[in-house]
Amino acid sequence: VSIPGTLFKVAEYYLEDALRWLRMPNEAATAMNLIEQRKDEKENPDGNNNDAPSASAASPNAAASDYEKMKSAALTQLSKDDEMTIPYDVITNLIEMFHSQSKDFGEAVLIFLPGWQQISRIGDMLRRSRYSKELSVFMLHSSISASQQARVFNPAPRGFRKIVLATN
């Protein structure tokens, strides 16, 4: 089977890598805070922190139980709400860092996001960035016409870096 087209070398990185490159603490990304909270909960499932006073000493058992229920509900909702866990500033800072460090404008950046709202928000942030006049931003989503989506396969204009924001 032969499929016409071009293959591009792709490097895969994770949020921890991005935070390290940007010299940002894990707390800069809500998603990392949720990961740390869940790790703490797995390591200490009863919720007791040896350094903190016990819940029973600070309040009645009913209040502690209600607190745990509310905390669990809040974490469950946060895990469902991509809006709360997407580090928009980290994404845009990372694109700016890549762009400033590589003068090969033939290199493109592909970012997968959960939906149109997130794609639009990152696109707006990039249009307001200091590098906006050097970035050619393409947004891919099922709500965009096929002809508009096909534009992503064209090279970026000379002097521009292609940034593709897409749903997976």
Side-chain angles (χ1 to χ4, degrees):
V1 175
S2 176
I3 301 172
T6 305
L7 296 177
F8 297 96
K9 186 174 82 174
V10 174
E12 193 172 306
Y13 298 102
Y14 297 92
L15 183 57
E16 306 86 88
D17 300 316
L19 293 172
R20 189 178 69 248
W21 296 331
L22 295 169
R23 294 182 177 92
M24 296 174 80
N26 281 352
E27 295 78 32
T30 305
M32 294 301 288
N33 290 331
L34 291 174
I35 291 168
E36 290 298 320
Q37 285 176 346
R38 289 189 181 137
K39 188 168 68 174
D40 290 346
E41 287 172 359
K42 284 181 183 176
E43 290 172 359
N44 195 6
D46 63 0
N48 289 332
N49 180 344
N50 293 337
D51 298 333
S54 70
S56 60
S59 63
N61 287 339
S65 176
D66 287 345
Y67 167 77
E68 289 302 316
K69 288 177 187 173
M70 287 189 299
K71 182 173 107 178
S72 176
L75 288 174
T76 299
Q77 185 58 37
L78 280 173
S79 69
K80 291 179 185 174
D81 189 357
D82 291 323
E83 192 73 24
M84 294 295 295
T85 58
I86 296 174
Y88 294 101
D89 290 337
V90 172
I91 293 169
T92 54
N93 289 343
L94 196 58
I95 291 170
E96 289 180 355
M97 183 197 81
F98 287 151
H99 182 68
S100 68
Q101 290 180 358
S102 172
K103 294 307 171 194
D104 179 0
F105 280 37
E107 295 177 347
V109 177
L110 170 62
I111 300 173
F112 290 107
L113 295 158
W116 179 249
Q117 185 177 12
Q118 295 82 10
I119 289 171
S120 295
R121 183 166 174 185
I122 294 290
D124 290 342
M125 292 172 78
L126 291 173
R127 281 188 279 285
R128 291 190 309 267
S129 79
R130 64 181 171 210
Y131 296 110
S132 64
K133 292 182 177 19
E134 299 172 0
L135 302 176
S136 184
V137 179
F138 293 88
M139 299 190 278
L140 293 180
H141 188 265
S142 61
S143 64
I144 296 175
S145 71
S147 62
Q148 287 287 91
Q149 290 184 38
R151 290 182 30 226
V152 76
F153 296 107
N154 297 331
R158 187 173 186 83
F160 285 80
R161 179 178 315 278
K162 185 189 300 188
I163 308 295
V164 179
L165 307 174
T167 54
N168 57 1

